[in-house]
Amino acid sequence: QVQLVQSGAEVKKPGASVKVSCKASGYTFTSYDIIWVRQATGQGLEWMGWMNANSGNTGYAQKFQGRLTMTRSTSITTAYMELSGLRSEDTAVYYCARGLAAGVGFDPWGQGTLVSVSS
Amino acid sequence: SYELTQPPSVSVSPGQTASITCSGDKLGDKYACWYQQRPGQSPVLVIYQDTKRPSGIPERFSGSNSGNTATLTISGTQAMDEADYYCQAWDSSTGVFGTGTKVTVL
């Protein structure tokens, strides 16, 4: 079955970087986008950006420009999200999801990765 | 930046109909999707391209989108439908999520 499995929880200090992985299986990895969304505790879903898994082209939300990098390894069907310059406000659960065609939505989602930023 | 606004909460009795609205400028000119998120779980796509249900999503979930408002309707609401619901659309190659609605089945 189609699934995305993310790496485990991370604890980071302010100013550090975090890299979260998203391992895809059950479909042709390069035929779809991967998107990243985060959710702080008790808050809503926040769009971070998208990556075309074939070309590697990316599009980041303005808020994260300069701090966010999305990459992938097609050989191991894994996408990565790296966020630098971490601050306490970046504490959240980070989700990857498969991006279907425009308007068709995101399905499935990974299980989420908790990133905690604390001194 | 583009914004999608939802009511914070909706309450519904079991077996009744719940309607959740999502408002945005000329939203009807875009495709809307809806996601269900149960407590402690990842979001699940329940409606895409305004009205379509992915396989495995019950028929009681339906959607519409016109003008400035998209609507998710849950007919014959069940206790298992208690969750947060988020609308989503694309604007200038950026994904936008609604503010989220908590559906409580009383």
Side-chain angles (χ1 to χ4, degrees):
Chain A
Q1 76 281 23
V2 177
Q3 67 175 349
L4 300 175
V5 178
Q6 299 181 223
S7 49
E10 303 264 10
V11 179
K12 296 292 183 181
K13 293 196 180 302
S17 297
V18 68
K19 191 170 186 178
V20 178
S21 67
C22 173
K23 166 73 175 174
S25 61
Y27 72 97
T28 302
F29 179 68
T30 50
S31 293
Y32 298 88
D33 292 349
I34 294 287
I35 65 103
W36 290 87
V37 172
R38 74 178 185 181
Q39 185 174 39
T41 302
Q43 302 301 306
L45 301 175
E46 181 176 26
W47 175 263
M48 298 184 72
W50 61 268
M51 179 186 67
N52 181 296
N54 183 41
S55 65
N57 289 343
T58 56
Y60 303 147
Q62 183 79 17
K63 175 177 181 176
F64 300 104
Q65 292 281 353
R67 287 208 300 146
L68 178 60
T69 304
M70 295 180 186
T71 57
R72 89 284 188 223
S73 170
T74 56
S75 63
I76 57 171
T77 65
T78 299
Y80 302 92
M81 184 284 299
E82 184 170 19
L83 190 62
S84 62
L86 290 170
R87 29 207 191 232
S88 59
E89 311 89 88
D90 294 318
T91 294
V93 175
Y94 289 75
Y95 293 101
C96 64
R98 185 179 66 162
L100 306 177
V104 186
F106 312 129
D107 178 69
W109 293 58
Q111 83 277 20
T113 296
L114 175 62
V115 175
S116 300
V117 183
S118 174
S119 54
Chain B
S1 61
Y2 194 75
E3 296 181 351
L4 294 173
T5 302
Q6 301 178 231
S9 63
V10 167
S11 296
V12 59
S13 300
Q16 299 304 300
T17 297
S19 293
I20 306 164
T21 58
C22 173
S23 298
D25 185 49
K26 298 179 181 178
L27 180 56
D29 292 343
K30 310 175 190 295
Y31 277 131
C33 299
W34 290 90
Y35 300 86
Q36 175 194 68
Q37 187 179 33
R38 294 189 175 109
Q41 296 187 18
S42 301
V44 172
L45 179 68
V46 295
I47 292 289
Y48 68 96
Q49 286 184 334
D50 298 337
T51 62
K52 299 178 181 178
R53 279 179 293 105
S55 76
I57 299 303
E59 291 184 9
R60 63 180 181 272
F61 289 90
S62 63
S64 63
N65 185 16
S66 179
N68 294 322
T69 304
T71 303
L72 174 68
T73 302
I74 311 173
S75 305
T77 305
Q78 300 182 9
M80 65 187 300
D81 300 329
E82 187 161 286
D84 293 326
Y85 291 84
Y86 295 90
C87 60
Q88 180 264 319
W90 285 92
D91 180 71
S92 301
S93 300
T94 296
V96 180
F97 286 97
T99 50
T101 299
K102 181 176 182 58
V103 171
T104 302
V105 183
L106 299 171

